[in-house]
Amino acid sequence: MSGYLYYPGCSMEGSGRSYRESLEGVLEPLGITLEEINDWNCCGATEYVSLSTTPAYAMIARNLAIAAGEQKDGESLVAACSACYLNLAKADHYMGKQPALNARVNDALGAGGLHYDPGTVRVRHLLEVILTDVGLDAVKAAVKRPLTGLKVAPYLGCMVPRPDVTGMTSDHDQPKSLDMLLRALGAEVVDYPLRTECCGGHMTQIAPRVGLELIRRLVSEAERLEAVMMVTVCPMCQINIDAYQGEMNAMFHTKHKMPIVFFTQLMGVAFGLEPKKMGVGREYTNASKTLAKALKAAPELALAAAGAPPAPRPRPDKRALPMPTMPQTPGMADSEVQE
Amino acid sequence: MIRAGKRAEVLRSNTPWMCLSCYHCVVRCPQEIEITDVMYAIKTIAEKEHTYPSNVGPDFTGVFIGQARRFGRSWEIGLTARHYLRHFPLRLPGMAPMAFGLFRHGRIGILPHRIEQRKQLQAILKRADELERAQ
C-alpha cells in the first residue's frame, strides 16, 4: 500500500461528486491510500491567481503548509482536480524560483502561524500517480470486467499536460497517458486530436458564445470519430461539456448527446464495481445506458479477443464483380500457390 | 506594446479577459515567456485601474474570490445564481432545467461549506493584502 496526502478541492464536494465517489471506490483495488489534509481551503481556481499575486499564492500556500505539517515520510500531495493540481504545483514552483514572492507569501502565512518551504511537498496529479506508481500492469490485473467494445474519446483538458511546471512530460499537445490507461481497462480508444484542447473554463459564465463554441468543437469531433462517450480527468471539463450541452445544442441547432464521465468511474466499472456506486447516472447526458449496452455486448467480444475461433468468412457475393484468380498449376498444393 | 507606449490600449483590450489559461502559448513560446502570467498581470492592473472593456469577467472573478476568502471554499450555487441574475437574466429560464438537474443528481449543495480556521485564513489574507498594496 502506498500512502499519499490528498487535496480534494471544492468541486469534488459538489458538482464533481461522481469523481469523488468513484475515486474512493478504486483506491483499494489500486492498492493506494489517500489521507485528506485537515481543513484545507479553496485553491482559488483560475480566478484568484488571475487578479492578484501575494493573496492568491498565500491562499494556495496555506494548503501546502498544512500538507507539509502532516507529512510523516515525505508523502506527495495528490490532487484529482486539474486546476487544484496546477495551482498547488505552481505555487510551490514559483515560491522556489522567486525569492521575493516566497518572502511575501511566508510573511502572510506567518500572520496565521504557518510557514512553508518550497520543495517540501511534491504535488502530483492523480492520473500521473496511477500511471507511474501503480502502473498499467497492476491496473490490468485488477480488471474483472473489461470494457471491451466501449468506444471512448480520451479528454485530458489543459492543465494536466500544461504548463507542466514540474517537467513531467515532453508531449504537451498529444500525450497518450489517458489513452493507455483506458486501453488497459479494455476500452477501445479513438485517436481524439482535441484531447488537450480547452473546454472553455469560465467562458460559459462570462462569454457564452465563446464557451459554447469550444464545447461544440469537442463534442462534435468525438461524435465524428464515433466515440460513444468522452472520458475526462477534470471536474471543470466534465461540468462544462455535460451541463452546457443543452444550451450549446440550442445555440447551434445541433442534437449532440455525448455523455462524459470521469476516468475513475470507468476504472471502477472495469474493476467489477457497481456503476451506480461509481456515480454513473449523475450526468445530464446519462452514461448508464451507453455503458450498459457496451458491457452487454462485451462477453462475446472478449471471447473473440481471447483467441476463440474466428467467425467464418462470408461467402462470396455472386452478384459482385469477379475477383482476379491465379491459374492453377497441376500438382501444386493450394497453400504453395498462395505463397 | 506597453513598452512601445501603448499602455492604455493594452489595458483596455479584451484579450486578457478572453484568456482561458490553457497554457498552449506557454509551452510553445521559444523564448519561454510565461504568457499566461503576463495576461494575469495585465488583468490585475486593468482591474485596479478599472480599464477593463466589460465588467462581466472582473465581476465574476471578484465574486468568486470574495466567497472563497469569506468561506474558505468556493460556493458554486451562490456564485452562478448571483452572476446570472446580474449579467444574464435572459439566460435564466434556459438555465432552470440545468439547476434542477444539479439538485436532482445530488451534485450541488445549497449552503456554502465553511472551513473551520476561517480566522486564520483571513489573518493570512489581510497580511497578504497589505504586502500586495505595498508593492
Side-chain angles (χ1 to χ4, degrees):
Chain A
M1 278 275 194
S2 312
Y4 302 89
L5 294 169
Y6 174 49
Y7 177 88
C10 306
S11 303
M12 301 293 269
E13 320 249 297
S15 53
R17 189 168 157 188
S18 42
Y19 202 178
R20 190 192 71 207
E21 289 165 334
S22 51
L23 173 56
E24 283 167 3
V26 300
L27 291 176
E28 205 197 309
L30 289 176
I32 56 177
T33 54
L34 297 180
E35 184 80 36
E36 182 172 331
I37 61 167
N38 187 38
D39 205 38
W40 51 270
N41 60 259
C42 173
C43 74
T46 52
E47 308 299 333
Y48 211 172
V49 283
S50 75
L51 281 192
S52 112
T53 316
T54 314
Y57 283 103
M59 194 152 165
I60 303 167
R62 178 177 175 269
N63 298 307
L64 292 171
I66 294 173
E70 290 180 15
Q71 263 181 340
K72 289 183 200 93
D73 192 23
E75 295 95 336
S76 304
L77 179 64
V78 177
C81 166
S82 308
C84 299
Y85 154 74
L86 176 59
N87 272 343
L88 293 164
K90 214 169 141 179
D92 181 59
H93 179 70
Y94 278 175
M95 283 170 75
K97 230 171 79 174
Q98 303 170 17
L101 177 72
N102 185 23
R104 286 201 307 275
V105 168
N106 268 309
D107 186 339
L109 285 178
L114 293 173
H115 179 82
Y116 179 71
D117 287 322
T120 317
V121 177
R122 184 174 168 210
V123 180
R124 300 172 69 187
H125 188 266
L126 176 69
L127 177 67
E128 185 263 315
V129 167
I130 294 176
L131 285 172
T132 321
D133 295 8
V134 178
L136 286 177
D137 289 336
V139 171
K140 270 185 204 154
V143 172
K144 290 192 180 129
R145 189 164 44 176
L147 305 175
T148 322
L150 185 69
K151 212 166 173 180
V152 294
Y155 180 47
L156 268 175
C158 318
M159 294 185 187
V160 171
R162 290 183 305 268
D164 189 25
V165 288
T166 46
M168 294 298 302
T169 172
S170 54
D171 190 347
H172 300 111
D173 280 329
Q174 300 291 341
K176 302 293 190 299
S177 46
L178 186 57
D179 300 49
M180 292 192 296
L181 182 74
L182 294 169
R183 238 174 242 127
L185 302 176
E188 189 182 335
V189 183
V190 303
D191 191 6
Y192 186 54
L194 305 183
R195 50 169 69 76
T196 69
E197 292 300 312
C198 183
C199 73
H202 65 190
M203 279 302 151
T204 44
Q205 309 295 319
I206 67 172
R209 271 207 90 84
V210 180
L212 297 175
E213 164 62 15
L214 290 169
I215 296 170
R216 188 195 64 75
R217 289 183 198 174
L218 292 167
V219 171
S220 61
E221 180 64 8
E223 204 172 281
R224 190 184 70 78
L225 294 168
E226 294 172 354
V228 295
M229 197 181 276
M230 286 172 73
V231 186
T232 183
V233 303
C234 169
M236 183 86 237
C237 299
Q238 203 282 339
I239 196 146
N240 263 342
I241 288 167
D242 191 21
Y244 290 92
Q245 219 173 113
E247 211 186 346
M248 174 208 87
N249 277 329
M251 180 174 275
F252 297 106
H253 309 291
T254 48
K255 285 184 182 159
H256 295 298
K257 257 190 133 176
M258 177 62 66
I260 175 161
V261 296
F262 294 107
F263 76 112
T264 43
Q265 290 180 281
L266 288 190
M267 280 174 85
V269 173
F271 294 169
L273 300 164
E274 188 65 36
K276 211 174 162 189
K277 286 209 173 111
M278 295 296 103
V280 178
R282 287 195 194 278
E283 314 82 29
Y284 284 86
T285 308
N286 203 303
S288 320
K289 273 189 194 156
T290 319
L291 198 57
K293 209 169 129 194
L295 288 175
K296 215 169 157 190
E300 299 157 33
L301 288 161
L303 213 65
R313 276 180 59 176
R315 311 290 303 168
D317 187 347
K318 289 207 173 93
R319 288 165 303 171
L321 290 170
M323 292 295 286
T325 47
M326 288 285 284
Q328 290 283 330
T329 320
M332 232 187 204
D334 269 4
S335 58
E336 286 171 80
V337 175
Q338 276 163 14
E339 277 166 22
Chain B
M1 274 181 80
I2 290 180
R3 276 190 206 157
K6 305 223 171 198
R7 189 175 188 277
E9 280 93 328
V10 170
L11 291 178
R12 270 203 309 272
S13 146
N14 73 346
T15 307
W17 300 97
M18 285 291 137
C19 166
L20 293 157
S21 321
C22 76
Y23 293 92
H24 265 305
C25 55
V26 176
V27 295
R28 285 176 190 174
C29 175
Q31 293 284 349
E32 297 185 5
I33 293 169
E34 305 277 357
I35 300 166
T36 309
D37 291 316
V38 173
M39 290 294 164
Y40 288 170
I42 296 172
K43 273 205 239 190
T44 308
I45 303 169
E47 202 260 348
K48 242 181 235 163
E49 300 182 0
H50 297 277
T51 53
Y52 37 78
S54 146
N55 71 340
V56 183
D59 201 50
F60 180 80
T61 306
V63 176
F64 182 102
I65 295 172
Q67 290 171 349
R69 285 174 64 116
R70 200 162 131 215
F71 307 123
R73 294 283 173 86
S74 72
W75 182 29
E76 293 171 323
I77 187 85
L79 173 67
T80 24
R82 204 195 121 144
H83 186 69
Y84 281 109
L85 280 172
R86 179 142 183 215
H87 294 290
F88 299 101
L90 293 177
R91 273 173 86 194
L92 272 173
M95 288 283 109
M98 175 184 151
F100 177 69
L102 279 176
F103 286 114
R104 193 163 57 95
H105 294 124
R107 287 177 64 174
I108 205 155
I110 298 178
L111 296 174
H113 182 98
R114 295 174 165 87
I115 63 165
E116 285 166 28
Q117 300 270 352
R118 290 194 297 284
K119 283 209 174 113
Q120 181 198 44
L121 175 66
Q122 273 138 26
I124 293 172
L125 290 171
K126 196 178 152 221
R127 180 72 189 125
D129 286 342
E130 287 166 14
L131 292 164
E132 184 95 326
R133 272 195 298 272
Q135 282 224 358

